[in-house]
Amino acid sequence: MTDFYDLAEKKSVGEIRKLYPISGDFFDNMNLSALAEDVPMADALEKSDPEWLQELGTDTDGVLEQFCEFMEALTSPQEETALIREITIVGGHDKNGMPEKAELTVKPGEVISIVGPTGSGKSRLLGDIECMAQGDTPTGRRIRINGEFPDEETRFELEGRLVAQLSQNMNFVMDLSVRDFLQMHAKSRFCEDPESVAEQCYACANDLAGEAFDISTKVTQLSGGQSRALMIADTAYMSSSPVILIDEIENAGIDRRQAISILTRQDKIVFISTHDPMLALSASKRIVIRNGGIAKVMETTEEERASLSVIEELDDTIMRIRSMLRAGEQIIPGHFAVPAAASSDEA
Amino acid sequence: MKLITVSGPPSSGKTSVILKLIDSLRESGMEKIGVVKFDCLTSFDQIRYKEAGIPVEIGFSGKVCPDHFFISNIEDAVRWGVKSGFEMLITESAGLCNRCSPHISEIPAVCVIDNLSGVNTPRKIGPMLKFADYVVITKGDIVSQAEREVFKFNVRQVNTGARILFVNGITGQGSFMLAKHLSRAVDITTLSDMHLRFTTPASVCSYCTGETRIGEEFQNGMMKKMTFTPSVFYKDTEEIEEPAEKGGVEA
């Protein structure tokens, strides 16, 4: 590991900025922009007005110490998650204390859907996975990571990094262009080459969105479908979390099947809580929740897979009608039963 | 009794987080929990605490600096908590300026900030964020994963050592882990010999004591003047009335 004290002794603020662009944030955060740039940083601090540092609630040693802590924390990707080979949900009990007979192991690249009435406890299950419950949540469920129950330390260690979440009421609030936004995220993920990662992510999002958008568009100006597409592409390419919890993907102008496959191709474990038959059946298994508990775990059968293609056709038809409406066309009954090719010349 | 100090900008979700935290603590068997709310002028949060059956005391700093008010009342709050037989006392400080921090050296310190408050906000908040042991980020459910990660990164920049947790103040998601962390706090009976983690703002000027008139002749005590540099539209004329002794602008 780099000795940052040594760095501050030998290099000027200007040189440090060049070597570690992230250090610029430290100088900005500390309001140290007035520090002399041409002498070693430690000397520059020594020469600066002590009263000025006092105003910042610190002194020369304090600044150096904080500088080193900052650099150590922000030049190594400490947030990377250990390799997750599998996650197992060990059943607890439902709201009446009836035991769940479930034990389900999921591996990277797998999609599991969670179905059940509103308020039945789908979110609680997602919550149990997120906090790696160890019989200490109201459901009594336990989560195994790579075959083992994580101890307290591992839980604290993994906390907030195991799971990425995607829900339909999520918005962008930052006032940034798509390019700046993606690069900022890449920077926070310690990507070697933020620009190319941002480009890759953008291309994927554009592929996913029904309507193309420019990379210089403000993220807050994207349509619902475009936003969702960008969020999915970003989660797939940039989030380090190995598990993704999705709370329904709305069908507004986005290819849902493609969205899920982008995530699984990046070896994510995907749990999706949904009422959408196409999404539910495209998972290999589905968890049925009733009265706060896992009522059963169903494998998607051959028959269901066969009906999936019918459902997909129905879905395609709806999508086609949508784009026709959007293009200002008249909708006639003949369009409904016709497979995809027939209407393509009209679009 | 365990003591926890919670601070955060207005409307960041402090009360909601504390209520959900108490739910989680109760689920884990901790029953006797009290809250002291420090605010400036008025507050409606005590109603929410009472509704949840939580003993609450409220103090308004009024014309006194909120930080000074906190520190001169916290010992009494602890005494109240100990006498009430609480297992945990949580203090909620609202209305603090970005120069303030109620955090005490050996006492677990929580700062609540929300994801909607702008990407650079963590970098502007100052001591109450910088010196916290736990940073709780709220309203994460309405922004994307990407924004949550960027926001967390910006928090990390300001406070390299804190535990950063996401808590949903409406559903309570995440409060379970916060409760787990905070129930590890050490038990105390008094705060004597403990220190604030950061100095409180100096406040001994004429305006502290009720002065309202504007003008240099009314400014006494601890004062700090800004330096203004001439703008591009700056005109060096005598039309603008300048105070008698010092020039309003130093070239």
Side-chain angles (χ1 to χ4, degrees):
Chain A
M1 184 176 270
T2 320
D3 181 352
F4 292 106
Y5 277 104
D6 194 52
L7 187 79
E9 292 282 342
K10 291 186 177 135
K11 303 275 183 196
S12 72
V13 172
E15 288 168 317
I16 294 171
R17 276 181 200 271
K18 272 209 196 83
L19 277 170
Y20 299 97
I22 189 80
S23 66
D25 287 347
F26 176 79
F27 300 118
D28 290 348
N29 291 348
M30 296 285 292
N31 205 1
L32 286 172
S33 47
L35 213 56
E37 301 243 342
D38 47 352
V39 295
M41 180 183 164
D43 294 344
L45 279 169
E46 212 56 67
K47 275 181 211 144
S48 59
D49 183 1
E51 204 169 305
W52 170 57
L53 291 178
Q54 217 176 357
E55 290 259 327
L56 307 172
T58 185
D59 53 25
T60 308
D61 290 344
V63 173
L64 280 178
E65 198 185 317
Q66 288 178 42
F67 172 74
C68 294
E69 278 172 10
F70 178 93
M71 294 301 285
E72 262 157 39
L74 293 159
T75 54
S76 61
Q78 51 157 216
E79 308 264 308
E80 276 328 306
T81 333
L83 190 68
I84 302 287
R85 294 186 308 274
E86 58 174 48
I87 285 183
T88 309
I89 303 166
V90 183
H93 48 78
D94 71 6
K95 279 176 195 162
N96 302 335
M98 294 295 286
E100 298 172 319
K101 285 186 210 93
E103 179 164 324
L104 175 65
T105 299
V106 195
K107 292 186 159 55
E110 259 190 277
V111 184
I112 306 294
S113 60
I114 301 171
V115 297
T118 310
S120 59
K122 294 187 298 253
S123 308
R124 195 102 223 191
L125 175 60
L126 295 181
D128 283 343
I129 298 168
E130 191 195 29
C131 74
M132 291 159 275
Q134 294 304 321
D136 45 9
T137 62
T139 61
R141 292 187 189 114
R142 304 176 74 190
I143 306 294
R144 274 203 302 257
I145 308 283
N146 296 341
E148 283 172 39
F149 292 113
D151 56 29
E152 290 282 281
E153 269 322 302
T154 316
R155 269 175 98 184
F156 285 142
E157 208 51 51
L158 269 177
E159 179 191 329
R161 298 192 260 142
L162 183 69
V163 160
Q165 291 195 59
L166 210 60
S167 89
Q168 51 184 352
N169 42 21
M170 284 178 184
N171 296 291
F172 288 115
V173 291
M174 289 182 186
D175 189 25
L176 293 171
S177 70
V178 172
R179 181 191 288 111
D180 291 346
F181 177 77
L182 290 172
Q183 285 187 12
M184 192 176 209
H185 190 199
K187 192 180 93 171
S188 82
R189 295 248 33 92
F190 304 98
C191 287
E192 291 281 326
D193 184 2
E195 276 153 49
S196 68
V197 176
E199 283 288 340
Q200 189 185 11
C201 218
Y202 163 70
C204 171
N206 230 343
D207 217 28
L208 212 54
E211 293 162 297
F213 57 94
D214 196 83
I215 196 162
S216 60
T217 317
K218 292 263 169 131
V219 289
T220 44
Q221 281 165 359
L222 297 175
S223 72
Q226 290 167 335
S227 298
R228 207 65 63 228
L230 183 60
M231 285 178 199
I232 289 164
D234 176 278
T235 306
Y237 287 101
M238 266 195 255
S239 176
S240 68
S241 306
V243 181
I244 301 183
L245 307 180
I246 301 177
D247 192 2
E248 202 78 80
I249 301 183
E250 61 199 299
N251 45 17
I254 175 168
D255 190 328
R256 285 161 291 160
R257 283 159 295 178
Q258 200 191 342
I260 300 291
S261 76
I262 283 171
L263 295 170
T264 51
R265 249 184 286 140
Q266 298 295 321
D267 265 343
K268 304 280 188 188
I269 295 175
V270 181
F271 288 93
I272 178 162
S273 158
T274 184
H275 298 138
D276 180 333
M278 206 178 62
L279 285 176
L281 294 179
S282 60
S284 59
K285 292 183 188 124
R286 62 181 186 274
I287 297 173
V288 183
I289 306 275
R290 200 175 298 140
N291 193 28
I294 298 176
K296 55 184 168 179
V297 179
M298 298 168 75
E299 297 243 2
T300 309
T301 62
E302 276 312 311
E303 216 174 6
E304 283 177 329
R305 252 185 273 277
S307 35
L308 183 60
S309 61
V310 180
I311 297 169
E312 281 176 4
E313 239 167 77
L314 285 171
D315 191 67
D316 282 339
T317 308
I318 299 285
M319 292 280 258
R320 216 164 49 241
I321 297 171
R322 286 173 59 103
S323 42
M324 290 170 71
L325 273 172
R326 200 174 275 164
E329 289 170 37
Q330 201 123 50
I331 309 300
I332 49 172
H335 287 137
F336 298 161
V338 197
S343 64
S344 61
D345 52 320
E346 298 173 38
Chain B
M1 183 187 71
K2 301 174 194 306
L3 174 66
I4 312 289
T5 59
V6 178
S7 62
S11 300
S12 57
K14 293 178 290 299
T15 306
S16 298
V17 167
I18 294 172
L19 286 168
K20 292 297 175 190
L21 165 68
I22 293 175
D23 282 348
S24 290
L25 289 166
R26 283 173 167 174
E27 275 170 11
S28 72
M30 194 186 280
E31 279 300 324
K32 293 181 193 154
I33 305 166
V35 171
V36 178
K37 164 105 192 188
F38 293 92
D39 215 323
C40 293
L41 297 172
T42 184
S43 172
F44 307 98
D45 297 329
Q46 67 275 29
I47 302 163
R48 297 178 64 194
Y49 287 120
K50 281 182 187 148
E51 274 171 4
I54 300 161
V56 59
E57 279 292 324
I58 189 157
F60 297 111
S61 56
K63 64 176 186 176
V64 177
C65 157
D67 219 12
H68 293 197
F69 178 72
F70 170 85
I71 202 62
S72 47
N73 283 287
I74 185 65
E75 270 211 284
D76 301 290
V78 168
R79 232 169 275 136
W80 173 71
V82 171
K83 277 191 186 159
S84 310
F86 294 147
E87 292 160 88
M88 184 182 280
L89 176 68
I90 302 171
T91 68
E92 178 189 346
S93 302
L96 296 180
C97 69
N98 289 342
R99 171 63 177 72
C100 277
S101 151
H103 305 320
I104 301 164
S105 52
E106 280 111 289
I107 303 299
V110 180
C111 178
V112 180
I113 56 174
D114 78 89
N115 243 315
L116 301 179
S117 60
V119 60
N120 283 322
T121 302
R123 299 166 69 176
K124 293 189 281 193
I125 287 178
M128 69 173 133
L129 176 63
K130 193 169 175 172
F131 293 102
D133 302 306
Y134 303 95
V135 178
V136 171
I137 304 175
T138 57
K139 304 179 194 175
D141 55 321
I142 41 182
V143 301
S144 67
Q145 179 72 22
E147 283 195 39
R148 281 196 296 277
E149 289 179 9
V150 169
F151 199 82
K152 185 176 174 184
F153 176 74
N154 287 349
V155 170
R156 175 66 66 220
Q157 286 207 342
V158 181
N159 188 331
T160 52
R163 293 270 184 190
I164 304 173
L165 299 98
F166 286 89
V167 174
N168 182 326
I170 296 167
T171 64
Q173 195 180 348
S175 63
F176 170 77
M177 282 311 262
L178 181 64
K180 241 181 145 49
H181 280 296
L182 295 178
S183 48
R184 291 173 157 192
V186 291
D187 285 295
I188 54 136
T189 50
T190 170
L191 292 178
S192 59
D193 296 333
M194 291 194 194
H195 290 267
L196 281 175
R197 297 188 187 190
F198 194 73
T199 56
T200 57
S203 71
V204 274
C205 75
S206 42
Y207 295 102
C208 291
T209 56
E211 179 63 79
T212 56
R213 287 169 297 176
I214 297 165
E216 287 210 359
E217 62 263 50
F218 309 114
Q219 299 170 5
N220 295 307
M222 283 281 287
M223 286 291 172
K224 194 181 169 190
K225 302 297 280 184
M226 283 171 70
T227 315
F228 292 88
T229 48
S231 76
V232 278
F233 301 114
Y234 192 74
K235 273 188 280 184
D236 198 10
T237 65
E238 270 130 57
E239 286 163 34
I240 303 156
E241 197 187 316
E242 292 187 357
E245 294 142 62
K246 291 186 221 166
V249 178
E250 287 163 36

